[in-house]
Amino acid sequence: MNREMYETILNMPDFMEKALKELKLNGEVPLEIDGIAFFGMGGSGIAGRIVSEWLNYEWGVNVYSYNEITIPRNLSRNTLITLISYSGNTEETLMAAKNAINGGYKVAVISSGGRLIEIAMEKNLPHIIIPRIFSQPRESLPYLFTAAVKMLMETKLIGNVQLNQLNDCIETLYNVKKGLNTNNIPKILAEKVYSKIISIFTYTPLTPAAIRFKQSLNENSKVMAKVEVIPEACHNAIMEWEENPEILKNIAMIIIREDVMKERLIEISINTLKEIALQRGATVEELHASGSNVLSNILSAIYIGDLVSIELANIKGIEARRINLIDYLKGKIRSSIYM
């Protein structure tokens, strides 16, 4: 039913490899950049969150990610405010662009067109244009993410070492793709969590994978899902299980994790959470990240999670690309702002 979207997601490594070769910066990045802050919403904004988590955690680079309209005051004027919107017409991102420009910040743009690219051209802002070949912004992640990395390379905040990790990540995704021919993990996982409310548990630095998984389950599968991050979840979230044992029977707990845990405390926490959830009748499953570095871990988990969301939509017999309520809400916002 959702074959075209499934194939688009399945070709994630192919799109990333193509984007790495084809995407070019238009204009020049300003000098003396000491950090970069990505602003975007939903399926566009998650690209900045992935880059931020990867480079902060593994390399200590000053990269920030916001799903906001206003520009936080802690950002210096040497931070490159980079607006990401696949359509180029996302109202919140356009407002962030206006606030950044009026605030005297250095600004860059990543988009496929729309008003955002028009602003970039009018203001002579550095920008990367990605091809308008996707039906929904969330399908364009391989291009948006790769464009974000290319923008960072132009600022000289990262270099060949990080580029090598990106190439390793693409190779990891190809290996995962090949493995799906013999072990259809997405379909198996979707069948196990069908008809459940999904509670996703993970830990830093895999948080972007959990957030993206929730977004994909919400938009593609039209199911209720939430994200809990360990160890914080161990100090509050588990208490909702104590007085509501009947509800847990309708919950599917999916843990996004590495094969080999680096932190013993996190591993103990995961095992204990699984024990408690199983004792109370919840369904418990794991989604294992692949690869030898943080970026590969994050994107391999996203890759499987996106495919799970399409398989779940197929089981439910619904159109994954349909987002009627989001379209209605966006229409209300536009009509109210421009009336």
Side-chain angles (χ1 to χ4, degrees):
M1 181 177 185
N2 295 293
R3 192 65 202 174
E4 184 179 314
M5 190 172 186
Y6 189 93
E7 289 293 333
T8 298
I9 294 169
L10 193 63
N11 289 327
M12 182 179 189
D14 307 80
F15 284 129
M16 287 177 65
E17 190 171 37
K18 193 174 182 181
L20 199 54
K21 294 175 182 177
E22 295 179 354
L23 294 181
K24 305 294 182 185
L25 177 71
N26 299 285
E28 295 183 0
V29 169
L31 300 175
E32 299 180 354
I33 296 297
D34 59 16
I36 187 167
F38 294 100
F39 284 74
M41 305 300 297
S44 298
I46 192 65
R49 181 64 186 265
I50 297 166
V51 174
S52 174
E53 196 84 17
W54 164 42
L55 294 176
N56 284 337
Y57 185 86
E58 195 155 29
W59 297 102
V61 181
N62 292 327
V63 184
Y64 313 93
S65 176
Y66 299 96
N67 310 111
E68 302 288 347
I69 296 170
T70 57
I71 311 300
R73 292 189 177 184
N74 66 300
L75 297 180
S76 76
R77 291 303 189 277
N78 287 327
T79 301
L80 184 65
I81 306 298
T82 303
L83 294 311
I84 303 183
S85 168
Y86 175 67
S87 70
N89 294 314
T90 307
E91 296 298 338
E92 296 89 345
T93 309
L94 290 171
M95 289 180 182
K98 179 181 178 181
N99 290 333
I101 293 168
N102 291 344
Y105 289 91
K106 297 170 181 177
V107 178
V109 166
I110 297 172
S111 181
S112 69
R115 181 60 186 143
L116 205 54
I117 290 298
E118 290 176 1
I119 292 171
M121 291 180 173
E122 290 167 5
K123 303 288 185 180
N124 293 317
L125 305 176
H127 59 279
I128 296 176
I129 301 176
I130 69 170
R132 192 180 281 266
I133 57 175
F134 301 100
S135 295
Q136 291 292 341
R138 57 191 182 276
E139 297 174 49
S140 67
L141 177 60
Y143 270 91
L144 291 174
F145 169 77
T146 307
V149 174
K150 285 215 161 190
M151 187 69 74
L152 268 156
M153 292 196 69
E154 292 290 339
T155 67
K156 310 302 182 186
L157 290 171
I158 63 172
N160 288 332
V161 175
Q162 289 80 17
L163 181 60
N164 289 338
Q165 281 201 340
L166 176 55
N167 283 313
D168 288 344
C169 174
I170 293 172
E171 186 63 31
T172 295
L173 293 175
Y174 274 125
N175 290 334
V176 174
K177 180 180 180 181
K178 184 178 179 181
L180 294 175
N181 293 327
T182 55
N183 187 11
N184 194 343
I185 295 172
K187 186 174 182 179
I188 293 169
L189 185 54
E191 289 171 345
K192 289 181 177 179
V193 302
Y194 171 63
S195 78
K196 303 285 187 180
I197 297 170
I198 298 174
S199 188
I200 306 160
F201 281 73
T202 195
Y203 50 90
T204 302
L206 298 180
T207 308
I211 293 171
R212 169 67 174 201
F213 192 21
K214 174 191 175 295
Q215 292 173 344
S216 297
L217 289 168
N218 291 155
E219 294 187 69
N220 298 334
S221 315
K222 283 77 178 173
V223 300
M224 296 179 68
K226 68 170 186 171
V227 172
E228 298 289 354
V229 180
I230 301 167
E232 177 64 20
C234 301
H235 294 265
N236 39 63
I238 60 170
M239 290 310 300
E240 68 188 19
W241 301 350
E242 186 169 293
E243 296 295 327
N244 303 287
E246 290 303 313
I247 293 178
L248 268 179
K249 295 176 182 177
N250 298 316
I251 298 290
M253 177 186 186
I254 301 179
I255 301 165
I256 299 179
R257 58 170 295 173
E258 304 152 287
D259 284 330
V260 179
M261 303 292 297
K262 297 181 179 69
E263 295 288 346
R264 178 65 175 153
L265 185 148
I266 300 296
E267 185 174 20
I268 294 170
S269 298
I270 287 175
N271 291 336
T272 306
L273 286 167
K274 287 170 60 178
E275 175 191 327
I276 295 170
L278 287 169
Q279 286 175 349
R280 285 161 172 75
T283 298
V284 178
E285 299 294 335
E286 293 187 351
L287 193 165
H288 284 247
S290 302
S292 59
N293 57 61
V294 169
L295 181 60
S296 295
N297 290 164
I298 294 172
L299 285 178
S300 64
I302 285 175
Y303 188 45
I304 295 297
D306 279 3
L307 293 172
V308 169
S309 73
I310 302 301
E311 292 287 8
L312 191 51
N314 288 338
I315 293 171
K316 294 178 67 178
I318 60 174
E319 184 183 344
R321 282 176 170 152
R322 176 177 55 80
I323 48 169
N324 293 351
L325 289 179
I326 293 176
D327 289 338
Y328 174 77
L329 179 59
K330 286 181 177 179
K332 279 285 189 179
I333 291 172
R334 289 194 184 100
S335 62
S336 297
I337 291 175
Y338 300 114
M339 65 183 299

